[in-house]
Amino acid sequence: MPDSTGDSRTAFQVALTPSGRQGQVPRGANLLKAARQLGVELESICGGRQTCFKCQVAVEEGRFPKLGLTSRADHLTPLTPQEETYFAEHNITGRRLACACQVQGDLLIAVPEESQARKQIIAKAATERAIQVDPAVRQVYVEVRQPSLEEVRGDWERLAEALGEQWDLHDLSIDGRALPALQSALRQGGFAVTVSLWQDREVLRVQPGYAEGVYGLAVDIGSTTVVAHLCDLRTGEVLATQAAMNPQVRYGEDLMSRVSYAMSEPQGLARLHRAVILTLNELAEKAAASAGVSTEDVLDAVVVGNTVMHHIFLGINPVELGGAPFALAVDSPLDLRARDLGLSFNPAARLHLLPIIAGHVGADNVAVQLAEEPYAQDKTMLIVDVGTNAEIVLGDRERVLVASSPTGPAFEGAQISHGQRAAPGAVERVRIDPQTLEPFIKVIGYPDWIAPGSVDLPEPAKATGICGSGIIEAVAELYLAGLINADGRFERSAAEVSPRLLLSGRTAEYLLADADQTATGSPIVITQNDVRAIQLAKAALYAGIKLLMAARGVERVDRVVLAGAFGSFISPYHAMVLGLIPDCELEHVYAVGNAAGDGARIALLNRRQREKASWLARWAEHVQMPLEASFQEEFVAALALPHARDPFPHLADSLPEASEERKARPRHRIREKYNKA
Amino acid sequence: MPDSTGDSRTAFQVALTPSGRQGQVPRGANLLKAARQLGVELESICGGRQTCFKCQVAVEEGRFPKLGLTSRADHLTPLTPQEETYFAEHNITGRRLACACQVQGDLLIAVPEESQARKQIIAKAATERAIQVDPAVRQVYVEVRQPSLEEVRGDWERLAEALGEQWDLHDLSIDGRALPALQSALRQGGFAVTVSLWQDREVLRVQPGYAEGVYGLAVDIGSTTVVAHLCDLRTGEVLATQAAMNPQVRYGEDLMSRVSYAMSEPQGLARLHRAVILTLNELAEKAAASAGVSTEDVLDAVVVGNTVMHHIFLGINPVELGGAPFALAVDSPLDLRARDLGLSFNPAARLHLLPIIAGHVGADNVAVQLAEEPYAQDKTMLIVDVGTNAEIVLGDRERVLVASSPTGPAFEGAQISHGQRAAPGAVERVRIDPQTLEPFIKVIGYPDWIAPGSVDLPEPAKATGICGSGIIEAVAELYLAGLINADGRFERSAAEVSPRLLLSGRTAEYLLADADQTATGSPIVITQNDVRAIQLAKAALYAGIKLLMAARGVERVDRVVLAGAFGSFISPYHAMVLGLIPDCELEHVYAVGNAAGDGARIALLNRRQREKASWLARWAEHVQMPLEASFQEEFVAALALPHARDPFPHLADSLPEASEERKARPRHRIREKYNKA
């Protein structure tokens, strides 16, 4: 019998946009289910009860000849009272809840972005990246049979049954910490509850009635900095990002000094472990507070870090990583309970650690690869993550090689006479006028460039030392200005034209900042030894890169990714002048900031990416540097500065603009305008 | 080519005793493997490395025509140096290590009890019971590939590989708490370690080299008493048993007062929970100390208790169990980590809770059934576990029915005017001379019966009150002596012949102990209300039993098991006089003491029994008492005392022997010689 639309067919044509899915749907079919059958998963927490209002769609009215249908709003059953109330209250027109209406005619249904399950979120970075949201922890709403004298099964057993019937979830278990709240949640909610599930296998939390809001933490534990992103696990949105100094710094600046602290101090490991756990708890607390949520609602976390950080985080003594053969305690991905490490999120919160590739290629590297996807590239990608050890990834979709090159800590400002960590007061950028041989410097925490001979500087402009990016630029600039030669030796003759070059016996040093430009009242100089330290470090890095290139059989790389905080502040031009990285089109050199944190976020938001990480850690080929006989040879060859004095004339650096500010966005693409001239 | 025994066959006949297994074994076969192939599993921790010395066997020499073989010691390869050293050091002759010798001829091999894997241990109780030892946690010795620069996999991954190759154990995980000790254990043990595994799935502990000793705790949390048995998980032996008062008693004597404490006090649940956890830790500590082991070596525990104890132990508020419909939070068996409840065993120790049958039929009842096996009986078995609620099990191999009958706490001495818990000073036994109507009493903590009119009693002989078994005997004896009639009313006329019967207005009471026989200085009396309370309790119990008998369609029971501490001290004769239990041959009435603790021990020592418990909890049929319309009828009918005054003349009780001692063995069969005359 024909209905009000005068159409007596028993099935209709339904198309969905933007997916383009289309097919026959029987008359009276529920639109939510029909969309699912056509392959379009709509967001739904309440399971079709008109409670969560997540499955909103719109009818595109009109004649669509290509689709072979005429779509009308009244091809759906009329608005339900629940829909009317909700849409009126929220001032929404033209929308329907897919779960509330039945198909009565042909339809073209528009599914807005926010109604799509497994929606994609776009990372805000310049290198655009889509993350499909398919988290390990999700919430579902479920109605449970009430207990009675005839029904002796426990509340949990009836809840499990309801999850089976209403959500097709089977063989579930429940975390012991979720059990105590179960009975009151059921009764408060009138035997309707919202359940948070881990991997569709384990119940982590039961809340009364309909509840919304489940969050996760993506954490990168760096040697120097710990960064935590608080994410909404349903939308994928980053609600807050918090960072803190790694408190282990007080027990040892670099990784190896922490390893020896853990080895030699009886309570050393426990102190290192507790310090980072405490910091993570504080970061979680701060991030939650700033996002207006409770850490009680944090139910999942993904943690990455280098192998030493990874082991200490787990309470494992990193002593074996202090020497060959650098044996790892564990390299597989780990699924743990956050409480077992003393993390004070929800008591049942889970914790995932990405896998490790080798003794010096940690979970942070796996995370970087998840973010940068070298394994999905047609062209050769080189990823360099500079720290105490430089981790190098070289590959494409056919092979990915990884190695760790023992650069030492010079790039982090250690072993440099006035070196320091990148912190306020550190000289981070240097330009030397090739005519006058006078230096311009930029200090972290002060916005302007400081010209040579400036006096009466405000306190924040006074330098305390020089950090990694500063020393790299300084050495490159010394070379470009002719103050050192290709071997790295100071040109003693330059002392005749510049009072900045101070000779002292058989050695020399360059006066970068006068005593009255520094916070200490002592001048900051670049010594011959500093230049040597940078040469050794850059040679180790370059030799590693060359060997991976040889192993992969490529002569050049198409894209260079500089990862890590250091990579964000390094000047690609100066890095190439020094021969830190192979020559490449400058516009194909990217600084990706905290790519490890991005990778952690990807693994937090998408459980398939955890599987990919697990595959990747086995598939990527680890090349052991010290084993390669040719390493020493490449190393020696890489010691010198590789280029003629003006290697890239079209990019020749001008003197700095005074107003140029340090770009501190966590993730950005460096496009310095070297050719402004 | 013939060997020294002149036998050129390529296979030999090997028989094993006591199993009787027999078969062909190829020349040169390892005896340990050959035995396994013939279906005889020998104990082995080291996996055939002549390290654990567990697989000892003996060759039975001689001609065995029925077996068709002649067995000689030299049909095995000669003693290895390891065997020689070990047997010499331990002064053992005639033994071989099965793993160390190869078959060279026909053999009859004797496998001593201690070399059998899955050995049976025999409970010491009178009702003999065999437990097959097949625990959830076991140890294996394994040798692990060493790390190298070429071998970047972690120590755990190589250990898992070795467990796969050497023990056929796959898909293993490792507890996060076991990880930190992994690397040092491997290195201390020269890359040989002993691994403790849970359910052949998860590694709980890694110890250097060859290690032996893994223990478990079987715990029964009773409302009044907590009992813990420390067991050797390899041998099944009980190394120590410790008991303590349930510390929750201070918050409420009986279950319902604890439920209301948890309901009404904001910190009530937390206090109750912590109290029992603390006690368990203390018991474990004491048991371990007395057995000379460390709680660090306790890797598994099975805990049973009634539903309220079970919930509080898990930190679940028992409020729902305080009223209909008595909804359980969970009834399934649970596998947890002991640390999650604050139990301080090994940090990775596991914890198993047996399932629950219904709101008032708890894991303790399941444990009692595991111990008594009603589901395996040809004849009808009745199990009565008396507490605040009496749990009743009636069944046989075809059906098992369970019910909980609301007896109230009278049987525990509550609601009785001079009632008290069974503790030193409590009157536990009573005899009334039917001629003189004078009472003989026995007091807990004093060995002798106290005659009427005794004066100058030592302090321990002075009564403080009357406990459950005492009040039951007192009421039965009052009836047998004609002091109360079948309705339970005092025979006021008896006051004329005995000064013990004190009339007071329309009521009366019996003077059980004079003021100078008590610790308080006040006399102890049995009042009309006391008799009524016992009548109500016994009627509830008996009505429950009768209804289960009707449901099962039986008119009598063949065997009565009295479980629980109370059951151990109850006099079956008096229980039958009162009509507490149905009539049955007195010699088929057993008191099984802490059968729940025995059941916990069975589940601790045999993981298949855990599966059986899980099956049982679903299979047993719960009969809801208040639902049965006929309950009220049976209850009223059961109020009266059922028998003529001298119901079992052949068993007629004599006056007590002064020297009779309280039988306090935890598990014994009552065979009181009532007919001694």
Side-chain angles (χ1 to χ4, degrees), chain A residues 390-662:
Chain A
E391 291 165 17
I392 311 165
V393 178
L394 181 86
D396 51 47
R397 61 173 74 253
E398 282 175 18
R399 277 176 79 188
V400 167
L401 307 177
V402 296
S404 165
S405 199
T407 53
F411 288 151
E412 294 180 311
Q415 299 176 350
I416 302 297
S417 47
H418 289 83
Q420 70 160 90
R421 244 194 347 262
V427 174
E428 59 162 345
R429 317 205 65 178
V430 174
R431 294 292 179 274
I432 297 174
D433 186 324
Q435 307 304 320
T436 64
L437 305 184
E438 287 296 296
F440 292 71
I441 59 174
K442 232 204 115 299
V443 163
I444 298 179
Y446 188 69
D448 302 329
W449 282 85
I450 298 154
S454 301
V455 289
D456 295 332
L457 290 171
E459 215 43 52
K462 292 200 168 173
T464 52
I466 185 162
C467 69
S469 60
I471 190 74
I472 285 174
E473 291 200 359
V475 173
E477 290 281 324
L478 286 171
Y479 174 68
L480 292 172
L483 282 158
I484 58 176
N485 63 24
D487 291 339
R489 268 174 301 148
F490 275 106
E491 293 280 4
R492 297 174 68 89
S493 60
E496 292 162 25
V497 295
S498 169
R500 293 261 161 200
L501 191 64
L502 313 170
L503 302 182
S504 153
R506 291 172 58 191
T507 184
E509 56 191 39
Y510 178 78
L511 179 63
L512 188 67
D514 304 320
D516 57 3
Q517 288 181 327
T518 71
T520 56
S522 305
I524 291 174
V525 297
I526 311 286
T527 68
Q528 185 67 65
N529 278 341
D530 297 345
V531 177
R532 285 276 173 260
I534 290 299
Q535 280 181 284
L536 292 171
K538 75 108 186 173
L541 174 57
Y542 195 76
I545 294 170
K546 290 291 279 186
L547 282 176
L548 284 197
M549 288 169 72
R552 182 68 191 94
V554 296
E555 305 239 313
R556 55 174 285 120
V557 298
D558 300 301
R559 182 172 289 218
V560 176
V561 174
L562 300 172
F566 178 74
S568 298
F569 302 121
I570 212 171
S571 148
Y573 172 77
H574 292 92
M576 277 199 266
V577 166
L578 270 189
L580 208 68
I581 51 174
D583 294 349
C584 175
E585 293 297 318
L586 209 53
E587 62 194 18
H588 291 145
V589 180
Y590 298 83
V592 291
N594 185 9
D598 286 348
R601 196 156 56 88
I602 289 167
L604 177 68
L605 295 178
N606 189 309
R607 51 186 170 157
R608 305 292 160 226
Q609 292 284 333
R610 300 185 188 182
E611 291 163 23
K612 176 163 280 181
S614 181
W615 158 81
L616 173 64
R618 291 189 309 269
W619 179 74
E621 302 164 53
H622 179 253
V623 179
Q624 184 60 256
M625 278 302 141
L627 292 184
E628 296 282 346
S630 44
F631 181 81
Q632 210 58 25
E633 208 172 298
E634 289 284 2
F635 176 76
V636 171
L639 278 169
L641 305 182
H643 296 288
R645 276 268 147 67
D646 200 3
F648 314 107
H650 60 293
L651 299 175
D653 200 13
S654 69
L655 288 183
E657 303 166 291
S659 68
E660 188 175 337
E661 277 190 39
R662 185 183 178 83

Side-chain angles (χ1 to χ4, degrees), chain B residues 480-501:
Chain B
L480 291 172
L483 283 158
I484 58 176
N485 62 25
D487 290 340
R489 268 175 301 150
F490 274 106
E491 293 282 2
R492 296 173 69 89
S493 59
E496 292 164 23
V497 293
S498 168
R500 294 262 162 199
L501 191 65

Side-chain angles (χ1 to χ4, degrees), chain A residues 251-464:
Chain A
Y251 305 111
E253 281 272 333
D254 59 55
L255 287 179
M256 283 309 124
S257 57
R258 287 182 220 168
V259 170
S260 39
Y261 183 77
M263 273 175 72
S264 54
E265 277 286 317
Q267 286 301 309
L269 170 66
R271 279 189 203 125
L272 292 165
H273 172 70
R274 273 201 303 267
V276 71
I277 296 294
L278 206 68
T279 296
L280 228 71
N281 283 336
E282 286 166 6
L283 291 178
E285 197 65 61
K286 280 185 199 162
S290 82
V293 305
S294 160
T295 51
E296 192 71 13
D297 297 327
V298 174
L299 283 171
D300 200 12
V302 169
V303 171
V304 305
N306 61 50
T307 54
V308 173
M309 293 297 99
H310 171 279
H311 277 40
I312 293 176
F313 175 70
L314 289 171
I316 299 171
N317 199 310
V319 51
E320 295 300 327
L321 299 172
F326 311 106
L328 294 158
V330 58
D331 63 53
S332 311
L334 294 173
D335 281 310
L336 302 171
R337 282 163 177 80
R339 64 173 179 262
D340 279 340
L341 290 175
L343 295 170
S344 48
F345 311 153
N346 182 288
R350 303 292 302 226
L351 171 68
H352 183 81
L353 277 87
L354 288 182
I356 284 173
I357 294 178
H360 284 122
V361 187
D364 52 350
N365 188 276
V366 173
V368 168
Q369 291 196 53
L370 273 194
E372 298 305 322
E373 302 186 327
Y375 48 81
Q377 306 297 319
D378 293 323
K379 296 188 165 182
T380 308
M381 177 186 270
L382 169 70
I383 307 175
V384 177
D385 193 349
V386 175
T388 303
N389 285 282
E391 291 165 17
I392 311 165
V393 178
L394 181 86
D396 51 47
R397 61 173 74 253
E398 282 175 18
R399 277 176 79 188
V400 167
L401 307 177
V402 296
S404 165
S405 199
T407 53
F411 288 151
E412 294 180 311
Q415 299 176 350
I416 302 297
S417 47
H418 289 83
Q420 70 160 90
R421 244 194 347 262
V427 174
E428 59 162 345
R429 317 205 65 178
V430 174
R431 294 292 179 274
I432 297 174
D433 186 324
Q435 307 304 320
T436 64
L437 305 184
E438 287 296 296
F440 292 71
I441 59 174
K442 232 204 115 299
V443 163
I444 298 179
Y446 188 69
D448 302 329
W449 282 85
I450 298 154
S454 301
V455 289
D456 295 332
L457 290 171
E459 215 43 52
K462 292 200 168 173
T464 52

Side-chain angles (χ1 to χ4, degrees), chain B residues 19-288:
Chain B
S19 68
R21 300 284 187 139
Q22 185 170 4
Q24 287 284 311
V25 169
R27 175 189 291 273
N30 177 285
L31 184 57
L32 178 65
K33 289 181 184 162
R36 187 174 298 150
Q37 272 151 19
L38 294 175
V40 177
E41 201 69 46
L42 295 179
E43 182 93 35
S44 175
I45 298 175
C46 73
R49 289 186 182 76
Q50 305 183 48
T51 310
C52 71
F53 305 105
K54 297 279 177 264
C55 62
Q56 294 180 30
V57 295
V59 176
E60 300 273 0
E61 296 203 276
R63 213 167 66 82
F64 300 93
K66 280 193 184 162
L67 300 172
L69 61 83
T70 296
S71 171
R72 282 168 49 180
D74 66 359
H75 286 178
L76 286 174
T77 45
L79 279 169
T80 65
Q82 289 95 322
E83 287 181 284
E84 277 180 1
T85 310
Y86 179 83
F87 290 132
E89 273 176 10
H90 291 76
N91 223 356
I92 295 169
T93 53
R95 287 275 177 98
R96 296 300 305 271
L97 295 183
C99 73
C101 42
Q102 278 83 45
V103 174
Q104 303 286 335
D106 292 347
L107 286 160
L108 174 59
I109 298 293
V111 180
E113 170 68 22
E114 69 272 18
S115 298
Q116 294 168 19
R118 309 201 173 168
K119 51 179 81 51
Q120 293 208 330
I121 59 156
I122 306 294
K124 285 166 205 136
T127 51
E128 290 185 356
R129 172 187 309 141
I131 306 176
Q132 197 172 47
V133 181
D134 180 16
V137 176
R138 66 165 175 142
Q139 291 183 304
V140 299
Y141 172 88
V142 65
E143 292 173 356
V144 180
R145 191 164 296 148
Q146 298 205 15
S148 70
L149 285 173
E150 294 81 10
E151 167 59 277
V152 293
R153 287 178 310 158
D155 282 339
W156 158 244
E157 285 72 19
R158 278 176 283 105
L159 171 57
E161 178 193 64
L163 287 165
E165 288 170 2
Q166 294 164 41
W167 289 95
D168 202 25
L169 294 161
H170 303 283
D171 299 321
L172 297 175
S173 63
I174 180 166
D175 189 292
R177 295 296 182 95
L179 266 177
L182 171 65
Q183 295 200 297
S184 61
L186 278 166
R187 281 150 189 85
Q188 270 179 53
F191 288 85
V193 287
T194 302
V195 171
S196 300
L197 287 147
W198 177 75
Q199 298 278 21
D200 288 353
R201 283 206 298 248
E202 190 178 50
V203 170
L204 303 187
R205 191 187 204 188
V206 183
Q207 293 168 280
Y210 177 79
E212 204 181 305
V214 55
Y215 308 102
L217 216 59
V219 178
D220 173 34
I221 304 179
S223 316
T224 311
T225 312
V226 183
V227 181
H229 303 288
L230 179 70
C231 300
D232 185 319
L233 293 183
R234 191 178 63 77
T235 65
E237 200 186 339
V238 178
L239 302 180
T241 294
Q242 290 283 338
M245 173 82 76
N246 187 326
Q248 297 168 347
V249 164
R250 82 179 80 108
Y251 306 110
E253 280 271 334
D254 58 56
L255 287 179
M256 284 309 124
S257 58
R258 287 181 220 170
V259 170
S260 41
Y261 184 76
M263 274 175 72
S264 56
E265 277 285 319
Q267 287 301 310
L269 171 65
R271 279 190 204 127
L272 291 166
H273 173 68
R274 273 201 303 268
V276 70
I277 296 294
L278 207 68
T279 296
L280 227 70
N281 282 337
E282 286 167 5
L283 290 179
E285 197 65 62
K286 279 185 199 162

